[in-house]
Amino acid sequence: MKRILILLLTILSIGCTTETPKEYSLLAYVPQNTATIIQIQNFESFRSELKNNKLLKSFRKPSFKKDFNDFVKYLDYLKPNSKSLLCLNELGNDSFEYTFITKFHPDLIATDSLAKLTTEKITYEGNSILKTTLNNRVNYSFTADSIFVNSSSKVLIENCIRSYKTATIPETFKKVYTTIDETKSATILANPKYVSPLLKKLFPNAATDFVSNFGAQAALDLSILPDEISFTGIVTANDSLGHMLSSLKNTAPNAYKMAKVIPPFFAHFTAITFDAYEKFHPKTKNSLLDALEEVATFEFNGTTFTGLRFISSSNEAITQLQTKPEASTIRNVKIYTNEDATLFKDHFTPFINDFDNSTFVILDEYIVFAEAEGLRNLAMLIGMYKDEQTLFYQKNYQEAIANLSDESSLLTFVNLGKFKETFAKSVQKKYQKEITSINFEEYPFAALQFTNEKGSNYAHVHGILKRNTTKPSENTVSQQLNIVLDNPVATAPQFVKNHITKRKEIIVQDDKNALYLISTAGKVLWKKQLDGQILGKVSQVDLYKNGRLQLAITTPQTFYVLDRKGETVKPYPTKAKSAYTQPVAIFDYDKSKNYRFVFTEGNKVAMRDKKGKTVSGFKFSGSENDFINPPQHFRVRSKDYITFQESNGKLHILSRTGKPRITPKQNIQFSDNTMYIHNNLFTTSDRKGNLIQVDGKGQIQQTKLPVAENHAVVMTTKTLVSFFENKLRIKDKTVELDFGSYSKPNIFLIQNKIYVTITDTDAQKVYLFDSNAKPIAGFPAFGSSVIDLGNFDKDKKLELVTKGENNTVLVYKLN
């Protein structure tokens, strides 16, 4: 939470400003121990900038905004024509008041607008104080030496009257004050010591105490543009007080490169760079860190990581750590375990205090540590690093860092989409729902950068929250998720529909027969143990005709129907008499959800209704030979046909009742390919590579394909795809691939567009082509199983899911 609050401190400074070195007159009226001062150069201009910022405009009158506006409501009736100061002070525990200071002029107060205002004059030490009541809120004002002071607190006004004539401005304050850029809309002066309680008031559920020791004084010039909120300035530190920034005093800033190992869906990261570790941590003697240039802590998927970057991959730390015990290997990268809990512990304070080093991985010049429970996420990180899909390679990150210095001493980066929930939990409960409703889609990141001046007691500060105008590069493929299962993946992952969100989720099984349902965020929603490996694909049904979908799953012994939570749906599961040899075929003849489940056990066939009862009207119960593929249902010109392929070459084409509807004139030496309807004919292929088509009278047509034995064909009503050796033929066009071990090709028809896919399982390459045999840009991509293709999330871009390496599931987005 510390690194997050470093950012919050800077964002807060957006509400605080100071005066120029030429005019200290207003500063004499600033209350003592002020947490923040916002010096506003032009009051109306500043208001206009706030109103025109697109992000601020998107807030739909939230109560936290209303509460603040009510708090300073009196300021709506003021028309300053010169600099103004807005100060915030703590008065008593958890209570803050404001003071507004500006030069008086005759038209300062819009009296016509204050008709409903009640006033009362009070005298204090010979000075006249005007008490005003507006909308049940009381505030106090007085004027002296042409300076107008208004406050929500009578105590602050009285203190101001007593002290303004003898007020002195500390030299430390003057030093930061001279750095103000008066061309900016406002400047923030913040004293971390007094800001800490203010932060605690704003964020009661966050750890804010560390802020008080961060530095001595901050001066930040604020710029508010329609697409951007940013600030630049300095923060001072004092060695004698042991401020956090003092630890960077003797170091020189360096380039930050840790983004090369940070996943793009990180929550936040903080990186510290230096020219020499011993200058950063002079009391710690550890030769293993002599070549260290950067250390960072980051979080994603609920796991906190600590990353170290060295000058090169050849250094003493990497050499020594490579002798640690190996836990596993992912993508030919070893994951190590570490039993030395003291390793590098307390080596990166005060910025990184929590350091779990239970497990780690070495990636070139990087070492990334994680807690033992983070092994799965560490494996995901390896995959993204190998595929160059980490944060560094994302367009929106590159645009964000273009606004920062190339080198820094301390950098905090927050993924606002991921951070929003954490931010909401930190504020008062009544504001939490409103915070989570803020749309940060066009504002992916907020960044805060400190660049230390070597040998000095101050650091330059730059913070930015900017609207992202960069669209993902068209015709590229980006990895969205890298999910690690508890055991190796056994089935090709596929998409299933979530009937609540209308989006897709992932269903997959591991080699211990555990079934996983995974959300669009990569979270395992549930895991259920089955009694065997799934046959074929998982289907979805709506048994109750209420829009709620269930999963229909076949193993050799059992037919399961599971609800959205992974619970079994009665009367299922049902058991096979001996063993299911094909996936259960599910027919919905009239799209009425009166399902028919067709079970195949060798040469036996049984049809049951959705309640598990035998359909007595279906007369076909099997044949003498085993069936080689699941039965298929087709509707051609308003008639229903059910097909069965026997191992001896006999093709059954039946009616709904199981009676022969078409009798082929001869047997077919079936290949391994199933039946299709192509050009209105029943179509498959034989072992010799002929396309076999059966018409409505049972006549058989043979057409030689450019294939031989061990080929594959798939088709739609109009598109035919074949594969043999290394030649993929789509319609009349042929693509020659590298020789390898390939999956069967597959066809997807999505939004009236044909996609053809095939996977080289040895080389772990997924290929994707259009209907003209042209490769989709960005492919081949890494993957080791057949894919499923569809719209996985809320945007219109397609995603595909495939098996990665060993126990990983990958999701890619087609940009």
Side-chain angles (χ1 to χ4, degrees), residues 32 46 150 273 368 373 443 461 523 617 755:
Q32 291 184 349
F46 186 54
N150 171 263
T273 70
V368 182
E373 293 76 12
Y443 297 82
V461 184
K523 179 182 179 181
Y755 296 89

Side-chain angles (χ1 to χ4, degrees), residues 176-195:
V176 297
Y177 196 58
T178 59
T179 67
I180 291 174
D181 182 355
E182 290 190 346
T183 65
K184 302 297 183 182
S185 17
T187 301
I188 300 160
L189 285 174
N191 185 323
K193 178 180 179 181
Y194 301 121
V195 162

Side-chain angles (χ1 to χ4, degrees), residues 503-528:
R503 300 179 191 172
K504 298 292 179 68
E505 293 171 336
I506 300 166
I507 198 85
V508 67
Q509 189 182 33
D510 69 21
D511 69 354
K512 301 296 184 184
N513 298 328
L515 185 71
Y516 300 75
L517 183 69
I518 302 167
S519 74
T520 54
K523 179 182 179 181
V524 175
L525 300 174
W526 50 256
K527 177 181 172 184
K528 185 176 183 66

Side-chain angles (χ1 to χ4, degrees), residues 184-223:
K184 302 297 183 182
S185 17
T187 301
I188 300 160
L189 285 174
N191 185 323
K193 178 180 179 181
Y194 301 121
V195 162
S196 184
L198 176 59
L199 287 174
K200 192 63 181 177
K201 169 72 172 178
L202 298 174
F203 310 105
N205 303 316
T208 59
D209 293 342
F210 82 97
V211 174
S212 63
N213 194 43
F214 190 76
Q217 185 74 48
L220 307 168
D221 297 316
L222 177 63
S223 177

Side-chain angles (χ1 to χ4, degrees), residues 74 128-131 139-143 148-151 157:
Y74 186 82
S128 179
I129 300 175
L130 186 65
K131 175 184 177 182
N139 60 76
Y140 305 85
S141 306
F142 90 100
T143 304
F148 173 83
V149 183
N150 171 263
S151 180
I157 286 290

Side-chain angles (χ1 to χ4, degrees), residues 655-726:
S655 68
R656 280 194 194 186
T657 62
K659 294 180 179 180
R661 174 156 264 173
I662 298 173
T663 303
K665 300 301 183 184
Q666 64 190 62
N667 284 0
I668 303 164
Q669 290 184 312
F670 290 121
S671 64
D672 292 333
N673 298 293
T674 189
M675 297 297 302
Y676 299 91
I677 294 294
H678 183 67
N679 293 329
N680 290 320
L681 298 173
F682 297 90
T683 307
T684 187
S685 67
D686 65 15
R687 295 174 196 164
K688 295 180 180 180
N690 296 307
L691 186 72
I692 305 298
Q693 296 187 290
V694 182
D695 65 16
K697 296 180 179 179
Q699 299 293 335
I700 294 179
Q701 305 171 19
Q702 292 188 11
T703 306
K704 181 60 182 170
L705 294 170
V707 299
E709 291 189 35
N710 300 319
H711 67 278
V713 292
V714 291
M715 60 197 83
T716 65
T717 55
K718 298 296 182 183
T719 301
L720 175 66
V721 175
S722 65
F723 181 74
F724 174 66
E725 291 183 339
N726 68 324

Side-chain angles (χ1 to χ4, degrees), residues 344-365:
F344 302 145
K345 191 172 180 62
D346 300 325
H347 281 35
F348 311 113
T349 55
F351 301 104
I352 300 176
N353 294 316
D354 300 323
F355 180 32
D356 195 321
N357 56 16
S358 301
T359 184
F360 66 93
V361 63
I362 298 171
L363 300 168
D364 299 319
E365 68 269 33

Side-chain angles (χ1 to χ4, degrees), residues 223-515:
S223 177
I224 301 177
L225 303 175
D227 290 333
E228 176 185 318
I229 299 175
S230 63
F231 47 82
T232 57
I234 65 169
V235 175
T236 63
N238 189 323
D239 288 346
S240 63
L241 298 177
H243 288 134
M244 292 174 66
L245 282 179
S246 299
S247 62
L248 299 171
K249 176 180 178 180
N250 296 313
T251 68
N254 214 326
Y256 43 93
K257 300 178 181 179
M258 199 62 69
K260 285 193 174 181
V261 297
I262 297 175
F265 39 91
F266 75 106
H268 50 78
F269 78 79
T270 295
I272 304 104
T273 70
F274 32 74
D275 53 339
Y277 173 77
E278 62 179 9
K279 296 177 183 177
F280 166 64
H281 238 263
K283 294 182 179 179
T284 302
K285 305 297 181 183
N286 194 327
S287 61
L288 293 182
L289 301 179
D290 286 348
L292 184 66
E293 288 190 322
E294 182 178 7
V295 58
T297 178
F298 57 95
E299 181 182 319
F300 78 97
N301 275 4
T303 298
T304 299
F305 298 80
T306 303
L308 311 182
R309 179 179 62 81
F310 296 84
I311 295 173
S312 73
S313 57
S314 300
N315 61 78
E316 187 179 348
I318 289 177
T319 300
Q320 181 168 314
L321 292 180
Q322 283 174 333
T323 64
K324 295 284 186 179
E326 296 176 20
S328 62
T329 300
I330 301 292
R331 303 279 294 272
N332 296 320
V333 175
K334 297 174 182 177
I335 298 179
Y336 300 89
T337 58
N338 171 49
E339 297 177 352
D340 179 8
T342 64
L343 180 67
F344 302 145
K345 191 172 180 62
D346 300 325
H347 281 35
F348 311 113
T349 55
F351 301 104
I352 300 176
N353 294 316
D354 300 323
F355 180 32
D356 195 321
N357 56 16
S358 301
T359 184
F360 66 93
V361 63
I362 298 171
L363 300 168
D364 299 319
E365 68 269 33
Y366 300 89
I367 305 177
V368 182
F369 292 90
E371 60 200 63
E373 293 76 12
L375 186 63
R376 177 182 295 177
N377 290 327
L378 197 57
M380 293 171 58
L381 183 150
I382 292 170
M384 282 178 278
Y385 179 80
K386 295 277 283 186
D387 294 337
E388 295 187 347
Q389 296 282 346
T390 52
L391 179 64
F392 176 82
Y393 299 98
Q394 309 304 310
K395 291 286 185 180
N396 53 7
Y397 173 76
Q398 292 295 336
E399 182 183 28
I401 64 172
N403 299 285
L404 301 173
S405 300
D406 293 336
E407 296 180 339
S408 66
S409 303
L410 175 65
L411 175 67
T412 291
F413 233 75
V414 171
N415 182 333
L416 290 174
K418 299 284 184 182
F419 170 70
K420 184 166 59 174
E421 185 177 345
T422 301
F423 181 50
K425 289 178 180 177
S426 71
V427 302
Q428 296 179 38
K429 189 173 183 179
K430 64 178 179 177
Y431 301 142
Q432 290 180 359
K433 187 175 180 180
E434 296 168 353
I435 296 293
T436 55
S437 69
I438 297 173
N439 183 6
F440 284 116
E441 197 167 300
E442 293 185 319
Y443 297 82
F445 303 124
L448 175 61
Q449 183 182 51
F450 296 83
T451 305
N452 185 61
E453 286 285 341
K454 190 171 183 178
S456 70
N457 280 318
Y458 68 90
H460 296 283
V461 184
H462 186 195
I464 189 164
L465 174 60
K466 186 176 182 180
R467 181 169 171 260
N468 179 32
T469 56
T470 300
K471 302 292 183 183
S473 298
E474 292 188 5
N475 304 320
T476 60
V477 177
S478 57
Q479 188 180 118
Q480 296 297 103
L481 295 175
N482 186 317
I483 306 143
V484 181
L485 307 186
D486 295 331
N487 300 293
V489 178
T491 63
Q494 68 177 88
F495 292 134
V496 292
K497 185 178 180 180
N498 179 326
H499 60 258
I500 299 173
T501 65
K502 310 304 180 186
R503 300 179 191 172
K504 298 292 179 68
E505 293 171 336
I506 300 166
I507 198 85
V508 67
Q509 189 182 33
D510 69 21
D511 69 354
K512 301 296 184 184
N513 298 328
L515 185 71

